[in-house]
Amino acid sequence: MRNRLSSPWFVVGLGLVTTLTLSGCPEIQHVAERAARQSGDERLARAIHGTGQLIGGLLPIGPEEEESIGQAIALQVIGRYGGVYGQPELTRYVNLVGRAVSLTCDRANIEYRFAVLNSETINAFAAPSGYIFVTRGLLKAIQSEAELAAVLGHEIGHVTQKHILDVIQRSKQISGVAEAGLAYASRNPDAFKNVIDGAVKKLLDEGLDQGKELESDRLGVVFASRVGYDPTAYLTFLNRLRSIKGDDRAFFKTHPNFSNRISVVQNALREQGVKPGGALLTERFAQRAGGRL
Amino acid sequence: MVHRVRLNVLLAACLAGLAFAASTLAETVYVTAKTAQIRSGKTSLDPVVANLQYGQELDVVTREDRWIHVQTTSGAKGWIYSSKVSSTKPPGTENELAALGQRYRRGDPSVTAAAGARGLDKASEGYADRAGITQQHRDAVDRMTGYRILDEEVQEFLKSGRLGEYAE
């Protein structure tokens, strides 16, 4: 019996598919697939088809896809957290602080946008493509602009490290949608909904992996300190939250405990050589945010 | 005479070697800020020599405090605040692999293409329909997507808070 895997057709076909798929010509992939099928080699046709899908599924998510995913997740975050708080001046202030921090983050070339959620709970979220949210309750717990800068820096860290996109690409739910992963999802609105719902569940209900949260803690203080904010403000804030939240199980379902976070931030400051000192801007925060909450 | 020629050749070779070593040892940094300038002096009040782009490559001439004296590939020299550069090249918008994946996966270009400069795109609009998102919340994301703050406004904000390069 002839081994089809070693046949010239197979070798040429796979080479052709790999080359053409990687150069972004799926039409030609279909031509190769049809040619293999017409030659009677169904196995090769399936291999060409499968290889192309696999490559498409494994390649990173592009900027337009990221924007679609970010918008869809933002819709759910706003819907589940009481809508956007209608205070234009407060929104503008949060955006200015966030934009200042984002200017020197590790992914400064995307547009970061910030909104305040009309919720008393203490929380913040980041969706892909720079959609970042803080709750009104969180702003009430903050006492200086440096603390706000570090909190926004933490959320920016989730975006720079593409934490949600990583969740999506690793998701079994997506690989279960089709072998092609996002390929199928982006062409099928129902599948896209499954992808987003899975990501929202992870973000809002289950929480990201603790490693991702701690990585964002480290990045948050580094980004804020690059702009000139006092990095120790974040430690002050975490200590305050620890006293407010105590051992609130609901909160720790989605976040590492505060002692762990404080320790990680202290280590990061030491390892990065970030020295205490810098701007706190307590009064500016009180003037531009305090009275509007 | 022959000795003199040999000596000159040797000297030229040494100079070429030194020049090569200097060029390979030169420190390179990349602009990591969305907007950045080099200035004629080490303060934010000094005149701007050149505007730089995200990801632009710069040769380091010298470092002093939190400022770096750099030279662009076109030869312009000036000072830049250290937090605006990094020794590693930042990720670009032109991430070829991501763009390729997107192009490959996008059977119908209209599925993910933005409907305009602002607002929900078709994929997220379709999601909103299927998930029963209210018009109020769609409008909120729509406004968020279109929210713009000029870089000059951010610079003014930094200046009034004495942040970044305006701290000193």
Side-chain angles (χ1 to χ4, degrees), chain B residues 89-100:
Chain B
K89 196 166 189 173
T93 48
E94 70 300 340
N95 183 328
E96 288 177 19
L97 211 54
L100 175 60

Side-chain angles (χ1 to χ4, degrees), chain A residues 21-24 26 29 49 52-53 55-68 71-76 78-80 82-84 88 91-93 95-97 99-100 103-111 113-115 130-133 145 162 169 180 182-183 186-187 189-190 192-193 196-197 200 225-229 279 281 284 288, chain B residues 32-35 54 66 81 83-86 90-109 111-114 117-134 136-165 167:
Chain A
T21 304
L22 283 173
S23 59
Q29 180 196 349
H49 188 78
Q53 285 189 327
I55 290 170
L58 288 175
L59 290 171
I61 292 169
E64 286 176 16
E65 291 170 323
E66 186 177 346
E67 175 77 12
S68 298
Q71 286 188 348
I73 292 175
L75 286 165
Q76 281 289 1
I78 290 174
R80 286 179 54 175
V84 168
T91 301
R92 181 177 160 74
Y93 175 63
N95 270 276
L96 280 166
V97 177
R99 282 288 306 281
L103 280 179
T104 55
C105 75
D106 294 342
R107 204 177 166 212
N109 57 330
I110 67 169
E111 199 76 41
R113 299 152 273 214
F114 304 83
Y131 287 86
I132 291 173
F133 302 90
E145 190 173 300
K162 301 187 178 182
Q169 289 201 303
L182 200 62
S186 67
R187 293 171 200 170
D190 289 325
F192 185 71
K193 181 176 181 301
I196 298 304
D197 288 348
V200 167
S225 70
R226 280 184 193 166
V227 191
Y229 290 106
L281 296 174
R284 184 156 83 171
R288 300 189 65 167
Chain B
T32 53
K34 196 175 176 191
T35 57
Y54 177 82
R66 300 188 78 173
Y81 195 66
S83 72
K84 295 195 168 187
V85 298
S86 162
T93 48
E94 70 300 340
N95 183 328
E96 288 177 19
L97 211 54
L100 175 60
Q102 178 171 288
R103 202 162 66 240
Y104 175 76
R105 288 186 289 259
R106 201 173 54 203
D108 173 7
V111 171
T112 54
R118 62 185 292 264
L120 295 180
D121 64 23
K122 287 191 179 179
S124 50
E125 191 78 60
Y127 176 78
D129 290 341
R130 279 165 180 75
I133 304 288
T134 66
Q136 184 191 0
H137 295 153
R138 294 180 199 213
D139 290 345
V141 175
D142 196 61
R143 280 195 300 275
M144 201 175 170
T145 302
Y147 199 85
R148 293 284 179 270
I149 286 186
L150 298 174
D151 290 336
E152 292 77 15
E153 294 177 88
V154 181
Q155 291 302 320
E156 196 54 45
F157 182 74
L158 291 171
K159 194 185 277 185
S160 70
R162 296 190 173 184
L163 292 163
E165 60 194 292

Side-chain angles (χ1 to χ4, degrees), chain B:
Chain B
M1 183 67 185
V2 173
H3 282 297
R4 183 173 291 174
V5 170
R6 278 184 184 162
L7 199 63
N8 285 342
V9 168
L10 194 64
L11 193 64
C14 284
L15 286 173
L18 280 173
F20 177 75
S23 68
T24 53
L25 289 175
E27 185 188 356
T28 300
V29 291
Y30 302 90
V31 177
T32 53
K34 196 175 176 191
T35 57
Q37 300 84 29
I38 51 173
R39 298 177 182 276
S40 60
K42 293 188 294 174
T43 77
S44 57
L45 301 174
D46 285 299
V48 172
V49 174
N51 286 301
L52 307 175
Q53 302 210 326
Y54 177 82
Q56 191 169 334
E57 189 177 318
L58 304 166
D59 284 334
V60 175
V61 179
T62 183
R63 288 173 182 266
E64 284 183 30
D65 303 321
R66 300 188 78 173
W67 291 81
I68 307 174
H69 195 214
V70 294
Q71 182 170 12
T72 67
T73 49
S74 60
K77 279 187 177 179
W79 294 88
I80 187 166
Y81 195 66
S82 59
S83 72
K84 295 195 168 187
V85 298
S86 162
S87 57
T88 52
K89 196 166 189 173
T93 48
E94 70 300 340
N95 183 328
E96 288 177 19
L97 211 54
L100 175 60
Q102 178 171 288
R103 202 162 66 240
Y104 175 76
R105 288 186 289 259
R106 201 173 54 203
D108 173 7
S110 66
V111 171
T112 54
R118 62 185 292 264
L120 295 180
D121 64 23
K122 287 191 179 179
S124 50
E125 191 78 60
Y127 176 78
D129 290 341
R130 279 165 180 75
I133 304 288
T134 66
Q135 190 59 46
Q136 184 191 0
H137 295 153
R138 294 180 199 213
D139 290 345
V141 175
D142 196 61
R143 280 195 300 275
M144 201 175 170
T145 302
Y147 199 85
R148 293 284 179 270
I149 286 186
L150 298 174
D151 290 336
E152 292 77 15
E153 294 177 88
V154 181
Q155 291 302 320
E156 196 54 45
F157 182 74
L158 291 171
K159 194 185 277 185
S160 70
R162 296 190 173 184
L163 292 163
E165 60 194 292
Y166 306 102
E168 295 152 26

Side-chain angles (χ1 to χ4, degrees), chain A:
Chain A
M1 184 178 166
R2 195 164 69 102
N3 181 0
R4 283 188 170 160
L5 288 175
S6 62
S7 74
W9 250 111
F10 188 82
V11 176
V12 171
L14 265 189
L16 185 70
V17 167
T18 306
T19 306
L20 297 178
T21 304
L22 283 173
S23 59
C25 302
E27 306 82 9
I28 302 176
Q29 180 196 349
H30 295 318
V31 172
E33 187 184 339
R34 194 166 58 239
R37 189 159 285 124
Q38 282 171 350
S39 75
D41 197 336
E42 185 59 32
R43 190 176 172 184
L44 172 62
R46 283 204 301 270
I48 290 171
H49 188 78
T51 304
Q53 285 189 327
L54 186 64
I55 290 170
L58 288 175
L59 290 171
I61 292 169
E64 286 176 16
E65 291 170 323
E66 186 177 346
E67 175 77 12
S68 298
I69 293 166
Q71 286 188 348
I73 292 175
L75 286 165
Q76 281 289 1
V77 173
I78 290 174
R80 286 179 54 175
Y81 276 82
V84 168
Y85 187 49
Q87 273 279 4
E89 280 306 308
L90 178 65
T91 301
R92 181 177 160 74
Y93 175 63
V94 172
N95 270 276
L96 280 166
V97 177
R99 282 288 306 281
V101 175
S102 76
L103 280 179
T104 55
C105 75
D106 294 342
R107 204 177 166 212
N109 57 330
I110 67 169
E111 199 76 41
Y112 291 87
R113 299 152 273 214
F114 304 83
V116 180
L117 296 167
N118 193 10
S119 167
E120 288 291 336
T121 59
I122 296 177
N123 224 328
F125 307 99
S129 203
Y131 287 86
I132 291 173
F133 302 90
V134 288
T135 61
R136 200 153 58 89
L138 178 71
L139 290 177
K140 281 182 179 178
I142 287 175
Q143 292 183 359
S144 71
E145 190 173 300
E147 291 179 17
L148 175 60
V151 167
L152 297 179
H154 171 106
E155 298 307 323
I156 288 169
H158 283 309
V159 179
T160 66
Q161 302 311 105
K162 301 187 178 182
H163 284 159
I164 286 286
L165 297 185
D166 184 52
V167 166
I168 287 175
Q169 289 201 303
R170 288 166 185 266
S171 165
K172 286 181 184 172
Q173 189 175 4
I174 294 170
S175 58
V177 167
E179 286 177 340
L182 200 62
Y184 181 71
S186 67
R187 293 171 200 170
N188 182 321
D190 289 325
F192 185 71
K193 181 176 181 301
N194 285 341
V195 169
I196 298 304
D197 288 348
V200 167
K201 187 179 174 193
K202 185 78 178 161
L203 179 67
L204 302 185
D205 301 328
E206 298 170 0
L208 296 171
D209 300 342
Q210 297 215 349
K212 288 182 167 61
E213 291 295 344
L214 296 175
E215 182 181 28
S216 291
D217 274 338
R218 285 192 293 271
L219 290 172
V221 284
V222 170
F223 294 161
S225 70
R226 280 184 193 166
V227 191
Y229 290 106
D230 186 340
T232 60
Y234 194 50
L235 293 171
T236 308
F237 174 69
L238 289 176
N239 272 310
R240 190 179 311 119
L241 275 195
R242 179 162 60 179
S243 66
I244 295 173
K245 303 298 285 187
D247 60 352
D248 181 346
R249 286 189 183 175
F251 190 80
F252 292 118
K253 194 176 153 195
T254 56
H255 287 80
N257 71 61
F258 287 116
S259 300
N260 196 4
R261 296 178 71 178
I262 289 166
S263 166
V264 162
V265 170
Q266 284 170 332
N267 286 339
L269 294 178
R270 204 166 31 244
E271 285 164 13
Q272 298 279 330
V274 179
K275 292 174 185 160
L280 278 173
L281 296 174
T282 307
E283 281 183 22
R284 184 156 83 171
F285 179 81
Q287 284 168 3
R288 300 189 65 167
R292 295 187 166 90
L293 294 167

